[in-house]
Amino acid sequence: MKIIIAGAYAIGTHLAKLLSRNDQDIVLIDEDEERLNNVSSDYDLMTVHASPTSIKALKNAGTGSANLFIGVTPDENMNMNSCIIAKALGAKKTVAKVNNYEFMAPEVKGFMGNVGIDSLIYPENLAANDIVNGLKMSWVRQRWDVHDGALIMLGIKLREACQILNEPLKDLCKPESPYHIVAVKRGDDTIIPRGDDVLKIYDMAYFMTTRNYIPYIRKIVGKENYVDVKNVMVMGGGNTAIRAVQIMPEYMSVKIFESDEKRCEQINEQIDTDRAMVINGDGRDISLLIEEGIKNTQAFVALTGNAETNILACLTAKRLGVRKTIAMVENIDYVKMAGSLDIGTIINKKAIAASHIYQMMLDADVKNTRFLMTANADVAEFTAQEGSKVTKKKVFELGLPHGTTIGGLVRNGEGHLVSGGSQIEAGDIVVVFCHNVNMSKIEKFFN
């Protein structure tokens, strides 16, 4: 598959990293030669030093035969224009990153399709959804809904109160059990567990279950004492914060700390001031936080543009008694550090956006995919096609690549957990976890 990425910035370089693992034919276009040199030394791809809107450059890069053209520069106009040109040159599918939520309106998206832009990505909106999902379940680090919640994946940090530590998974995750452990992050290692593996304290365990068993999972991992989030403090009043506040449940009360007075006025014009208060001040000011009631706050969300500031602010909030913290960390190098400091939920817009784009390059009928940055693993929903390899044998007989496990499936809208003896049928939506596995190898089982 030939993929052309316009923009060697955060999203473009992270996307190149994801795609280069799958041996794709990748071309990266950017106006800055230094940025290109920094990327080309790390990944197997071709670089083109030119403007993404140069017709000559796009032709020379082979845009006419591209399966996917992706515009992810900081300039939304350049992204959209380059996609329009790419489509006219023959690119099969185009996607553009935008910075304005107005472009996500259904009627606008329809117009974009008519002029050659097949899909639009607004990273702030994707990040806001992840933030709100994290706030809804204060005891969960990460939540991922499969097929509108028919199956649910929960990433949970295991503490002393966990009831299922040090027991072989073959005794815990039996065919009739209401959950499966599909991946474990332990230190720097990611484990796709087998029956003899055990869970240890401080593991990040990924559970696959159904909605009705979420309270049971909460009980066995010892998180029943985690209070539900009703009061939220948000540091930083950028677009991600505004989108998150706009989609938070009505029962949550929010205070936004923004140091720029003019920006405070702009925020007040965009949010419901009956349930969200904007405070002109520094969210790192401990006396201000105490004055505004941090002792009665269940969640602190740090969304400034500075990763160090967000990490330190979350550590301060934890010291002041806040149990649930969420930090936006745009620098990938800081993600591991933030995890080791036990920050809580880490939000990285470029990784979220790249994951969203990533699924567009897959040939199989993939409904949803996500790169789990903390676990360095992919999780995706595949639809089993009639006559495909995955439908011809039981799961334990399939010979899936090492580092791969099937977590569950959705059949006729109902979620089911999968064991070795399960039989997948055509039309089933199957959740697959992969660690260090070329996704194209998995696709072959479903096509």
Side-chain angles (χ1 to χ4, degrees):
M1 179 179 284
K2 187 177 185 68
I3 302 165
I4 298 178
I5 303 171
Y9 294 85
I11 296 176
T13 54
H14 189 68
L15 189 58
K17 176 182 178 181
L18 291 180
L19 298 179
S20 63
R21 298 180 308 164
N22 288 359
D23 301 321
Q24 304 294 338
D25 180 7
I26 306 169
V27 180
L28 184 62
I29 303 175
D30 197 277
E31 294 177 298
D32 190 304
E33 194 167 11
E34 185 177 349
R35 276 198 300 270
L36 290 173
N37 291 336
N38 291 337
V39 176
S40 61
S41 62
D42 294 330
Y43 311 126
D44 182 19
L45 48 77
M46 177 182 141
T47 59
V48 175
H49 178 215
S51 168
T53 55
S54 166
I55 296 175
K56 180 181 178 181
L58 293 183
K59 282 183 177 179
N60 291 339
T63 302
S65 60
N67 301 89
L68 182 61
F69 183 94
I70 306 162
V72 284
T73 76
D75 185 339
E76 64 183 3
N77 293 318
M78 178 175 284
N79 296 336
M80 291 187 285
N81 288 334
S82 64
C83 283
I84 292 169
I85 297 169
K87 193 74 169 185
L89 291 174
K92 291 181 181 177
K93 185 183 289 186
T94 62
V95 56
K97 180 183 80 73
V98 296
N99 307 322
N100 190 335
Y101 186 67
E102 290 181 354
F103 284 116
M104 304 307 293
E107 62 273 16
V108 176
K109 291 171 72 175
F111 166 77
M112 291 296 177
N114 292 333
V115 298
I117 304 172
D118 296 310
S119 185
L120 294 168
I121 299 293
Y122 182 56
E124 287 76 9
N125 192 52
L126 299 173
N129 287 327
D130 275 15
I131 291 167
V132 173
N133 279 337
L135 292 174
K136 287 178 181 177
M137 301 178 71
S138 61
W139 51 282
V140 169
R141 289 286 180 92
Q142 192 164 16
R143 171 176 173 159
W144 195 68
D145 286 17
V146 179
H147 203 63
D148 298 324
L151 284 172
I152 294 172
M153 184 204 73
L154 303 174
I156 304 171
K157 185 83 168 182
L158 305 182
R159 307 283 186 182
E160 293 85 347
C162 180
Q163 301 173 14
I164 55 174
L165 298 176
N166 304 314
E167 294 186 47
L169 292 184
K170 62 185 177 184
D171 296 336
L172 296 174
C173 304
K174 298 177 180 179
E176 66 275 12
S177 298
Y179 66 90
H180 285 169
I181 308 294
V182 292
V184 176
K185 179 70 173 179
R186 180 175 298 156
D188 293 335
D189 298 325
T190 296
I191 303 166
I192 301 296
R194 297 183 176 275
D196 292 333
D197 288 315
V198 300
L199 297 175
K200 297 182 179 181
I201 192 169
Y202 306 130
D203 279 353
M204 179 74 162
Y206 292 87
F207 292 73
M208 182 63 71
T209 189
T210 52
R211 189 186 301 275
N212 54 317
Y213 281 106
I214 290 177
Y216 176 75
I217 302 295
R218 185 174 187 173
K219 179 177 183 295
I220 62 173
V221 297
K223 305 283 187 176
E224 288 183 302
N225 62 327
Y226 279 57
V227 295
D228 293 332
V229 173
K230 293 183 179 179
N231 298 314
V232 184
M233 286 186 173
V234 178
M235 183 178 75
N239 290 335
T240 303
I242 290 174
R243 279 301 297 153
V245 171
Q246 287 173 336
I247 63 174
M248 280 182 194
E250 291 186 0
Y251 63 81
M252 290 186 186
S253 177
V254 189
K255 290 183 178 180
I256 304 172
F257 294 87
E258 170 56 52
S259 55
D260 187 308
E261 186 175 355
K262 187 175 181 180
R263 180 60 181 167
C264 288
E265 295 173 2
Q266 295 171 345
I267 297 170
N268 273 319
E269 294 173 358
Q270 299 180 62
I271 62 170
D272 181 0
T273 53
D274 289 337
R275 48 185 296 268
M277 179 187 298
V278 181
I279 298 169
N280 181 209
D282 190 338
R284 296 169 296 179
D285 185 335
I286 294 177
S287 61
L288 176 61
L289 293 176
I290 293 174
E291 180 183 338
E292 293 297 337
I294 196 167
K295 298 290 186 181
N296 297 315
T297 297
Q298 295 82 41
F300 186 91
V301 185
L303 301 176
T304 75
N306 186 291
E308 298 98 321
T309 297
N310 295 338
I311 291 169
L312 290 172
C314 284
L315 290 174
T316 300
K318 275 186 169 290
R319 199 176 78 219
L320 292 172
V322 179
R323 178 153 262 171
K324 178 69 177 183
T325 57
I326 298 176
M328 187 160 70
V329 181
E330 288 299 278
N331 188 329
I332 289 288
D333 296 333
Y334 288 151
V335 170
K336 184 184 292 187
M337 179 185 73
S340 67
L341 293 171
D342 209 18
I343 291 298
T345 300
I346 306 298
I347 297 294
N348 184 287
K349 287 187 295 184
K350 66 184 177 185
I352 296 169
S355 293
H356 193 80
I357 298 169
Y358 183 39
Q359 72 187 64
M360 298 177 186
M361 55 151 288
L362 299 172
D363 292 329
D365 187 2
V366 183
K367 301 295 184 185
N368 200 0
T369 187
R370 172 63 67 90
F371 177 67
L372 302 176
M373 188 169 50
T374 51
N376 191 30
D378 295 300
V379 54
E381 301 173 30
F382 288 92
T383 301
Q385 303 300 318
E386 188 74 44
S388 60
K389 185 177 179 180
V390 78
T391 64
K392 296 180 178 179
K393 296 180 180 179
K394 293 187 183 296
V395 169
F396 80 94
E397 300 172 319
L398 290 175
L400 293 169
H402 181 71
T404 303
T405 187
I406 294 177
L409 61 83
V410 179
R411 181 177 297 159
N412 299 323
E414 185 177 347
H416 303 271
L417 298 179
V418 168
S419 63
S422 299
Q423 178 68 56
I424 295 171
E425 299 177 3
D428 287 349
I429 297 170
V430 184
V431 184
V432 181
F433 286 76
C434 311
H435 174 58
N436 289 335
V437 177
N438 189 321
M439 190 69 83
S440 61
K441 293 182 179 179
I442 309 301
E443 288 181 281
K444 295 175 182 177
F445 285 84
F446 291 86
N447 286 331

